């Protein structure tokens, strides 16, 4: 009853879930995450070409860094809600790259050199990336502080994922583009 709302609850259906059914659900979620990530990577490469390859490399590095961070947290348990938060943070990592690339494309169309366009693209995209990620981090912090159980797991993985996403977009993607 932790965190229960003061609303009447009427039992409509009840069932037991076996461990094998839970394992099946977990496997389906992991498969959906892999397929979704592969589709996003494919889209990025097709639509953004060389920028898409950079985004794909940065996204794979983001996923590895985030999973490593989860592994470093003592007693961290990945729940289904946590997986959902992690997958949502992957979408936000892609979004940051899209903002950067669109701004960079605008600068290239304006006649800037590739180096100048990349620099200006990052400079112009940063306020949007910063603001959207900070609001998500604030929301995740509030959810973590004021809720319990599954929602806390979702909030933790989303918040940590967004922090790593900002690092990935600003440092990894920029470094690869500069090279």
């Amino acid at each position: 009853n932790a965190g229960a709302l003061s609303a009447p609850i009427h039992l409509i259906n009840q069932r037991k879930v076996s461990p094998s059914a839970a394992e099946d659900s977990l496997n389906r979620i992991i498969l959906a995450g892999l397929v979704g990530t592969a589709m996003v990577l494919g889209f990025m490469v097709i639509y953004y070409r060389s920028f898409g390859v950079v985004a794909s490399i940065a996204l794979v590095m983001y996923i590895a860094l985030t999973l490593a961070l989860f592994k470093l947290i003592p007693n961290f348990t990945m729940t289904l809600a946590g997986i959902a938060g992690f997958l949502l943070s992957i979408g936000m990592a892609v979004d940051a790259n899209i903002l950067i690339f669109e701004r960079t494309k605008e600068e290239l169309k304006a006649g800037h050199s590739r180096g100048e366009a990349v620099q200006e693209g990052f400079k112009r995209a940063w306020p949007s990336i910063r603001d959207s990620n900070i609001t998500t981090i604030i929301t995740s912090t509030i959810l973590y502080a004021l809720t319990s159980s599954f929602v806390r797991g979702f909030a933790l993985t989303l918040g940590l994922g967004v922090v790593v996403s900002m690092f990935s977009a600003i440092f990894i993607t920029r470094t690869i583009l500069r090279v």
Side-chain angles (χ1 to χ4, degrees), residues 21 38 45 86-87 91 99 153 169-170:
V45 170
F86 175 56
L87 294 177
L99 288 170
I170 299 305

Side-chain angles (χ1 to χ4, degrees), residues 133-154:
N133 285 319
I134 286 175
T135 57
T136 303
I137 291 167
I138 290 169
T139 303
S140 295
T141 303
I142 292 168
L143 284 173
Y144 188 84
L146 300 179
T147 62
S148 62
S149 189
F150 295 112
V151 178
R152 285 186 94 184
F154 173 81

Side-chain angles (χ1 to χ4, degrees), residues 55 113 159:
S113 70

Side-chain angles (χ1 to χ4, degrees), residues 14 30-31 36 41 47 51 60 81 83 90 97 99-100 107 110 119 128 141-142 147 151 160-161 167:
Q14 181 176 348
I30 291 171
L31 178 63
L41 294 175
Y47 189 79
F51 284 147
V60 169
I83 292 170
I90 291 173
N97 282 315
L99 288 170
I100 293 164
E107 296 302 317
Q119 187 66 27
S128 298
T141 303
I142 292 168
T147 62
V151 178
L160 291 174
F167 170 80

Side-chain angles (χ1 to χ4, degrees), residues 58 79 86 105 116 168 171:
T79 62
F86 175 56
K105 282 172 40 177
E116 291 172 339
S168 172
F171 294 106

Side-chain angles (χ1 to χ4, degrees), residues 27-179:
N27 290 336
R28 286 180 182 209
I29 288 172
I30 291 171
L31 178 63
L34 291 172
V35 170
T37 301
M39 291 175 68
V40 167
L41 294 175
F43 169 78
M44 294 296 286
V45 170
I46 290 168
Y47 189 79
Y48 288 104
R49 296 184 188 97
S50 62
F51 284 147
V53 172
V54 170
S56 297
I57 293 168
L59 188 61
V60 169
M61 291 177 75
Y62 160 77
I63 291 169
L65 285 171
T66 306
L67 291 175
L69 178 63
F70 294 159
K71 190 73 174 164
L72 290 174
I73 298 172
N75 300 321
F76 183 87
T77 302
M78 183 64 88
T79 62
L80 294 179
I83 292 170
F86 175 56
L87 294 177
L88 183 58
S89 70
I90 291 173
M92 294 190 72
V94 172
D95 182 53
N97 282 315
I98 289 171
L99 288 170
I100 293 164
F101 297 156
E102 286 299 326
R103 299 288 192 215
T104 301
K105 282 172 40 177
E106 290 172 8
E107 296 302 317
L108 287 170
K109 286 180 184 175
H112 292 96
S113 70
R114 185 169 173 93
E116 291 172 339
V118 167
Q119 187 66 27
E120 194 62 29
F122 272 92
K123 183 179 171 186
R124 291 183 56 212
W126 171 243
S128 298
I129 295 168
R130 179 197 62 218
D131 294 349
S132 67
N133 285 319
I134 286 175
T135 57
T136 303
I137 291 167
I138 290 169
T139 303
S140 295
T141 303
I142 292 168
L143 284 173
Y144 188 84
L146 300 179
T147 62
S148 62
S149 189
F150 295 112
V151 178
R152 285 186 94 184
F154 173 81
L156 179 64
T157 56
L158 178 60
L160 291 174
V162 169
V163 170
V164 177
S165 166
M166 285 177 61
F167 170 80
S168 172
I170 299 305
F171 294 106
I172 295 174
T173 301
R174 181 183 291 186
T175 302
I176 293 171
L177 285 174
R178 284 182 176 169
V179 170

